[in-house]
Amino acid sequence: GQNIDQPTEMTATEGAIVQINCTYQTSGFNGLFWYQQHAGEAPTFLSYNVLDGLEEKGRFSSFLSRSKGYSYLLLKELQMKDSASYLCAVSSEGNFNKFYFGSGTKLNVKP
Amino acid sequence: DVKVTQSSRYLVKRTGEKVFLECVQDMDHENMFWYRQDPGLGLRLIYFSYDVKMKEKGDIPEGYSVSREKKERFSLILESASTNQTSMYLCASSGLEGYQETQYFGPGTRLLVL
């Protein structure tokens, strides 16, 4: 089966750095994705990793280790608007590019 | 920009009613998906489609059916709505972001079945 694990909730302070971890066990691997979802809204694409290492995109970075089945999303210089759920998703191999999602990590940014 | 739209943001239906949820994308994407999202369970795939008139079951297809008569439109049908189908329903289509196929989501439909 497919298993994607991430912490349920985290709290951090405005201006700080926070790391959200994701571990996965899937039958195939075609890439790992991070999405941001504000309450009551649809998920929006943040980043993806296919190869091991760090991908940086402004204040957000994502890291992947395929051998460990592990990824993290790093958010720097936290802002209040970063309060949201962050979803980790793994794309399976095969023709149809099915995604398997974790339950999401709710990040609370406090002043 | 990719645009995925869903016919309703909020919907209230009664048990036993037939419910249609519509999704339209404007990027000529081949693949389209229907998920439901429930607290603590994350997004679960109901059905997906990789071409017109083609469909595949996802992880939780029971109680649902789908229709893809045109490439841009993917409909989710609840044949006889039940209270356990109260949920947030999200449609997605997938296309290339750089060199990787990525899913883009519609705004979601929050369905309440009474």
Side-chain angles (χ1 to χ4, degrees), chain A residues 30-31 33 35 37 40-43 45 48 50-51 55 57 87 91 95-103, chain B residues 9 31 33 35 37 40-43 45 48 50 59 88 90 97-103 105-107 110:
Chain A
N30 206 32
F33 296 75
Y35 285 81
Q37 186 178 26
E41 297 183 11
F45 168 76
Y48 70 84
V50 178
L51 302 175
E55 293 280 343
K57 234 182 184 184
L87 310 180
S91 168
N95 296 330
F96 307 128
N97 201 45
K98 284 175 68 174
F99 277 36
Y100 296 96
F101 284 85
S103 300
Chain B
R9 291 300 300 270
N31 299 335
F33 306 81
Y35 295 89
Q37 185 177 31
L41 296 176
L43 273 80
L45 183 63
F48 64 102
Y50 52 92
D59 300 315
M88 169 75 124
L90 289 161
E97 173 81 22
Y99 54 87
Q100 181 66 35
E101 191 87 6
T102 302
Q103 292 193 11
F105 287 85
R110 196 169 288 280

Side-chain angles (χ1 to χ4, degrees), chain B residues 1-3 23 41 44 54 69 83 103:
Chain B
D1 273 355
V2 176
K3 188 139 189 192
C23 175
L41 296 176
R44 293 180 291 167
M54 305 303 285
E69 295 297 318
T83 54
Q103 292 193 11

Side-chain angles (χ1 to χ4, degrees), chain B residues 10-101:
Chain B
Y10 301 94
L11 214 49
V12 180
K13 295 291 180 180
R14 297 210 173 271
T15 302
E17 280 192 76
K18 192 167 186 175
V19 181
F20 292 87
L21 303 182
E22 304 284 339
C23 175
V24 178
Q25 51 96 1
D26 66 358
M27 286 301 292
D28 203 34
H29 287 166
E30 302 286 341
N31 299 335
M32 295 186 75
F33 306 81
W34 273 107
Y35 295 89
R36 62 178 284 177
Q37 185 177 31
D38 302 287
L41 296 176
L43 273 80
R44 293 180 291 167
L45 183 63
I46 304 170
Y47 267 96
F48 64 102
S49 168
Y50 52 92
D51 202 352
V52 175
K53 297 194 186 295
M54 305 303 285
K55 60 186 180 185
E56 290 283 336
K57 291 180 180 178
D59 300 315
I60 51 162
E62 296 78 20
Y64 303 93
S65 62
V66 290
S67 172
R68 185 120 180 248
E69 295 297 318
K70 293 184 178 180
K71 190 175 187 179
E72 67 270 19
R73 188 178 297 269
F74 192 33
S75 303
L76 180 70
I77 302 149
L78 286 66
E79 297 291 343
S80 176
S82 63
T83 54
N84 63 13
Q85 292 179 309
T86 291
S87 188
M88 169 75 124
Y89 289 88
L90 289 161
C91 173
S93 70
S94 69
L96 281 176
E97 173 81 22
Y99 54 87
Q100 181 66 35
E101 191 87 6

